Amino acid sequence: MTTSSSYSSVPGPVREEDTARWQPEPACLQDLERAAAAVLPPGIWDFVTGGSGTESSLRANLASFEQLHLVPRVLRDVAGCSTVSPLLGREASAPLAIAPMAYHRLVHPDGELAVARAARDAGVPFVTGTLSSCPLEEIAAQAGRLWLQLYWLNDEARLFDLVDRAEAAGCEALMLTVDLPWMGRRLRDVRNRFTLPPEVQASHLGDGAASRAHAHGSRTSAVAEHTKAFMTASLSWEHIERLREHTGLRLVLKGVLDPGDARQAADRGIDAIVVSNHGGRQLDGAVPPMAVLPEIRDAVDGRCEILVDGGVRTGSDIVKAVALGASGALVGRPVFWGLATNGQDGVGDVLRMLTEELRDALGLAGCASVEAARSLRVVTSTPFRTVSAPRG
């Protein structure tokens, strides 16, 4: 990982010639990670890559997948193995969606527009964010299946206006982030005194290049100060009910880790939850999502869909998530790696590799479909014990 105490916290713009420097055909996501680290300015790389605190949750997310092992079945016909699977009531080419992330134009000039096109072409949903660096309507014009991630803003008129814009633009769902009363202390950004460059702005907040996200501070991240200023720390179930009353769009809650919270979401008719510790960027030391996924599966008992994010790096990771009860997985940082190295085509590489690896893992595990993977046994190596037995 690249860090630099001398890096200026106002990076120059990412240029097309910078993103085209790395040309070899990637074979896996780790190839793209190395390439992105070589292309991006150190402060932007830290912003994309880093977690909160000591980054223990960031490391645990990756380790949790490595500690899980599938028990493959044999003598099953997998000649017609398919990755197609429903997500939120509609078929996707794979049980996969692009996770919401802020400020895509930090890593490529086309930003969210390139990601929207790549997701459209790959046949998977794209979750664009409140902190998008491109306007929602422009993204929607180039997207296929589009969901909008929301933070609950202090300015509720602006929040509900954004919801109305999502409906008008044809978004399928709203994904409300519920684990961020304020931004976790991300030490890489603090050390870098990270600020947004002037040409990268939160397009939905309308404060331009003069926002707190662009202003230097002492021993702080300007992006964290900006986020704290516009969002509420008072989010509660009452807010969820008000959002339900305002819109008929499907509602997803992102950032659920406790089975009791998951059960309450299902009781209240939430359409889906994302089991997530915010990619290790909020509470440092929070449990990795895969460790609690079976409990959450049992808590919701099929009453809402379950997605998982944080540390998904291979197709077999997605199979493990499905076997433990998820409808699908969200992928985040690798999308930025692809975007940084080769724009829309780089994001397409990420989605292509994950889908190819997913089909490979399904077939080698004896599953002709994503649905069949739900009956796989999963064991953990710490120590080896069954964490999920076949159901039904």
Side-chain angles (χ1 to χ4, degrees), residues 19-261:
T19 64
R21 266 187 266 159
W22 187 78
Q23 294 298 331
E25 185 75 18
C28 64
L29 296 190
Q30 286 69 28
D31 290 345
L32 287 174
E33 181 179 17
R34 287 189 291 270
V39 167
L40 291 174
I44 293 178
W45 174 251
D46 281 348
F47 177 76
V48 170
T49 301
S52 61
T54 65
E55 300 188 346
S56 64
S57 288
L58 180 63
R59 295 189 298 273
N61 285 353
L62 297 170
S64 66
F65 281 103
E66 294 179 353
Q67 292 162 0
L68 293 170
H69 306 272
L70 297 164
V71 181
R73 303 300 302 272
V74 296
L75 299 175
R76 297 188 171 192
D77 183 358
V78 295
C81 183
S82 172
T83 63
V84 172
S85 186
L87 284 179
L88 279 188
R90 285 184 56 190
E91 277 195 350
S93 64
L96 175 67
I98 294 179
M101 295 177 290
Y103 307 121
H104 289 41
R105 280 183 168 158
L106 274 173
V107 304
H108 191 278
D110 290 345
E112 288 84 359
L113 304 182
V115 177
R117 294 192 295 265
R120 176 199 64 202
D121 293 348
V124 299
F126 169 38
V127 190
T128 193
T130 295
L131 295 179
S132 167
S133 52
C134 297
L136 176 61
E137 291 78 8
E138 293 181 17
I139 298 168
Q142 302 193 39
R145 297 184 63 186
L146 186 65
W147 306 350
L148 174 66
Q149 174 269 343
L150 291 174
Y151 292 118
W152 200 280
L153 305 178
N154 284 320
D155 184 348
E156 291 194 2
R158 175 173 282 176
L159 169 75
F160 287 119
D161 176 68
L162 189 55
V163 171
D164 294 342
R165 288 170 60 187
E167 289 184 344
C171 288
E172 292 182 3
L174 301 173
M175 181 179 288
L176 180 65
T177 296
V178 295
D179 64 349
L180 203 148
W182 51 79
M183 188 178 286
R185 186 169 172 78
R186 301 170 191 176
L187 296 180
R188 299 194 199 200
D189 297 344
V190 171
R191 292 178 183 123
N192 290 330
R193 296 176 62 207
F194 185 71
T195 66
L196 294 183
E199 68 277 4
V200 178
Q201 301 171 19
S203 63
H204 298 144
L205 299 183
D207 49 6
S211 76
R212 294 191 186 190
H214 300 86
H216 284 284
S218 176
R219 295 186 180 181
T220 188
S221 158
V223 174
E225 291 300 308
H226 179 241
T227 303
K228 185 177 180 179
F230 75 73
M231 70 171 47
T232 183
S234 303
L235 187 62
S236 69
W237 288 105
E238 187 270 334
H239 293 82
I240 308 299
E241 294 304 320
R242 284 162 48 200
L243 183 58
R244 269 294 202 193
E245 291 170 1
H246 185 86
T247 181
L249 293 179
R250 291 175 181 265
L251 185 56
V252 182
L253 301 186
K254 180 178 183 292
V256 176
L257 288 170
D258 186 272
D261 292 335

Side-chain angles (χ1 to χ4, degrees), residues 365-382:
C367 300
S369 66
V370 174
E371 182 61 31
R374 303 189 191 285
S375 65
L376 289 174
R377 287 181 60 218
V378 182
V379 300
T380 179
S381 56
T382 55

